[in-house]
Amino acid sequence: MKERNPWAWVPTLYFAEGLPYIAVTVLAIEIYMQLGLSDAEITFYTSWLYLPWVIKPFWSPFLDLCKTKRWWITTMQLLLGAAFAGVAFTIQADWWLQGSICFFWMLAFSSATHDVAADGFYMMGLDQHEQAFFVGIRSTFYRLSMIVGKGVLIMLAGVLQVMFRYQIKFSWSLIFYGLTGLFIAFYLYHNFILPHPKEDVNHEEKQDAKVIFHEFLMTFATFFKKKQILTAIAFMLLFRLPEALLTPISQLFLQAQSSKGGLGLSPQEFGLVNGTVGVIGLLAGGIIGGMLVSKDGLKKWLWPMTFAITIPNVAYVYLAYVMPDSLIAINTCVFFENFGYGFGFSAYMLFMIYFSQGEHKTSHYALCTGFMALSMLIPGLFAGALAQFVGYRMFFVIVMLSCLLPFVVASFLKVDSEFGRRE
């Protein structure tokens, strides 16, 4: 088969990987907020959408049994297009809530499956040198999809709502029909351009399901026999607790009317603040965090990164109490909080890599990502109800009190002083 230049498919593949995730975790909140659901209802419904990423490690080994990674990628992109169309169609129906949630679930499961196939295909389609070279490229285009999803699409929806006299359902329907067309285009393009690696073969006739299931149980058992397993699970579930509480509520707070204690940003302003300035801060923090750890190792930077992922949350306490009118002040606070999160999250990601070392490291890392998704799911279930009960101001104070837990779990970690340091 003719070899394909990785530049022809790696950027588009990871851009396509990021957009559905943003649609499920950000755009769903935006739509339900604009359609009048309460904070408690919004966070409860949308937090459950993290479940496919929680249980992804349980079905990912069985993707090897049927078809190829290439087949799964293109099929999921077509299914994602259908799910986007489903949201676009049902959002205008009388039963819009039930219908849209159904298709958001379809989006979530298809996206999680696409993640597994894309990451596996990346390792098959590139040699080790190319994998190392393109790891930054794939991350950049994944983050670019965040800017498009959290920033451009929300701003575009705001513009459409003004153009069509605040027909919210119709405006979001147009956005999701546009995403439908985009993913049909991704399907057609990747069906043509993706290479056919020799390792990416159909194992349906060569592998026994019982053997695969037995191997999966073995990797599962060895994961829970690792040293400091309880400490590691506690770290993975609690290190991001303040951010897990803050993430859905900050989106609602920034756009809630001042009579409800919010800042009253328009969709266009919110797209700029959270989807552009915020993402830039997130990227900058992550890049600097990675550079510092590669220089000095994870152990040296664990405590500074714990401070970084917690203390900047005080920016929302300031916003809730001062209620600034200046968009510059709001942008500064959001950038500060996102930069701290991006910097501190480097420790979280690197610890998962460290804990996954050894035999079955790929499967063990997949299990770690399941706990990572669970750490967002559980707090989100009650974050909205809590914010609704105590108000935004007191909620952000509670978030600051929860910042004690990341310090507690980090204090029990034992990390090799040389891990992460460049040789």
Side-chain angles (χ1 to χ4, degrees):
M1 295 296 296
K2 181 181 177 181
E3 288 191 10
R4 301 289 190 188
N5 188 325
W7 280 103
W9 59 271
V10 171
T12 54
L13 181 61
Y14 280 89
F15 187 85
E17 183 175 314
L19 269 182
Y21 180 79
I22 295 301
V24 168
T25 59
V26 177
L27 298 188
I29 293 177
E30 190 71 16
I31 290 171
Y32 294 146
M33 179 199 67
Q34 292 188 7
L35 292 180
L37 294 189
S38 68
D39 289 4
E41 291 172 321
I42 293 169
T43 58
F44 183 80
Y45 293 145
T46 57
S47 291
W48 279 112
L49 297 175
Y50 280 99
L51 184 61
W53 283 277
V54 175
I55 62 176
K56 177 177 69 174
F58 293 93
W59 84 75
S60 58
F62 298 96
L63 296 187
D64 289 328
L65 276 177
C66 183
K67 304 297 183 181
T68 63
K69 295 291 192 301
R70 190 183 194 276
W71 184 89
W72 281 107
I73 289 171
T74 54
T75 302
M76 287 305 105
Q77 288 177 356
L78 195 59
L79 194 59
L80 285 165
F84 280 123
V87 173
F89 177 75
T90 56
I91 203 70
Q92 296 195 75
D94 292 336
W95 35 278
W96 59 268
L97 180 59
Q98 298 91 329
S100 62
I101 286 177
C102 175
F103 282 105
F104 273 123
W105 271 98
M106 182 175 169
L107 265 175
F109 274 101
S110 302
S111 178
T113 305
H114 182 272
D115 291 355
V116 175
D119 292 341
F121 188 84
Y122 177 84
M123 290 185 283
M124 291 177 177
L126 302 175
D127 59 35
Q128 288 187 355
H129 170 71
E130 289 174 326
Q131 287 179 37
F133 178 80
F134 278 94
V135 69
I137 305 300
R138 74 181 230 184
S139 177
T140 298
F141 277 85
Y142 185 89
R143 298 298 185 186
L144 183 61
S145 73
M146 292 179 62
I147 294 177
V148 171
K150 296 173 70 174
V152 176
L153 291 183
I154 292 178
M155 287 190 282
L156 180 59
V159 171
L160 291 173
Q161 287 164 22
V162 173
M163 289 176 59
F164 294 105
R165 295 182 177 273
Y166 295 96
Q167 295 185 50
I168 294 172
K169 292 182 178 181
F170 180 68
S171 300
W172 279 110
S173 185
L174 291 178
I175 295 291
F176 275 78
Y177 277 130
L179 290 169
T180 299
L182 178 62
F183 271 80
I184 292 174
F186 277 139
Y187 162 75
L188 295 171
Y189 178 74
H190 288 137
N191 198 42
F192 170 75
I193 207 70
L194 288 180
H196 294 264
K198 293 180 180 179
E199 302 96 322
D200 191 25
V201 295
N202 188 353
H203 296 287
E204 198 168 359
E205 299 177 357
K206 298 180 181 180
Q207 289 186 291
D208 187 351
K210 291 183 178 178
V211 174
I212 294 291
F213 185 65
H214 178 263
E215 290 178 357
F216 171 71
L217 289 180
M218 289 299 296
T219 59
F220 196 81
T222 55
F223 179 82
F224 285 96
K225 290 180 181 178
K226 281 179 170 281
K227 293 180 179 179
Q228 64 171 340
I229 178 63
L230 294 179
T231 301
I233 291 175
F235 179 83
M236 288 185 282
L237 290 179
L238 298 176
F239 189 70
R240 289 203 301 169
L241 176 61
E243 192 67 26
L245 290 170
L246 186 72
T247 296
I249 302 304
S250 64
Q251 182 174 349
L252 300 172
F253 161 73
L254 289 171
Q255 297 176 87
Q257 295 302 312
S258 57
S259 59
K260 296 180 180 180
L263 295 185
L265 298 183
S266 68
Q268 297 93 318
E269 290 171 329
F270 175 75
L272 171 66
V273 170
N274 193 59
T276 306
V277 175
V279 173
I280 291 171
L282 188 70
L283 282 170
I287 291 169
I288 294 173
M291 291 171 59
L292 292 174
V293 169
S294 69
K295 180 177 182 291
D296 300 312
L298 173 59
K299 187 173 183 177
K300 179 176 179 178
W301 284 100
L302 178 60
W303 285 111
M305 287 181 170
T306 304
F307 275 96
I309 207 170
T310 53
I311 304 304
N313 292 334
V314 76
Y316 278 93
V317 177
Y318 168 80
L319 290 175
Y321 277 90
V322 177
M323 303 284 286
D325 293 325
S326 168
L327 203 58
I328 294 176
I330 297 171
N331 272 308
T332 302
C333 288
V334 171
F335 179 88
F336 175 64
E337 190 275 328
N338 275 273
F339 179 88
Y341 177 64
F343 185 76
F345 188 61
S346 301
Y348 189 91
M349 294 297 292
L350 285 164
F351 176 76
M352 291 199 302
I353 295 171
Y354 174 77
F355 189 71
S356 302
Q357 289 182 116
E359 192 178 6
H360 310 299
K361 63 181 179 181
T362 302
S363 298
H364 287 177
Y365 185 78
L367 287 168
C368 288
T369 62
F371 281 108
M372 178 173 69
L374 188 62
S375 74
M376 295 296 289
L377 187 157
I378 295 174
L381 292 175
F382 61 85
L386 179 60
Q388 200 169 301
F389 180 71
V390 302
Y392 290 127
R393 288 181 173 179
M394 184 54 63
F395 176 82
F396 293 131
V397 171
I398 293 172
V399 168
M400 291 307 299
L401 293 175
S402 74
C403 290
L404 293 172
L405 287 172
F407 287 95
V408 172
V409 293
S411 67
F412 287 99
L413 285 188
K414 296 178 181 178
V415 181
D416 186 345
S417 59
E418 295 299 314
F419 178 74
R421 184 180 295 176
R422 185 186 296 113
E423 295 180 2

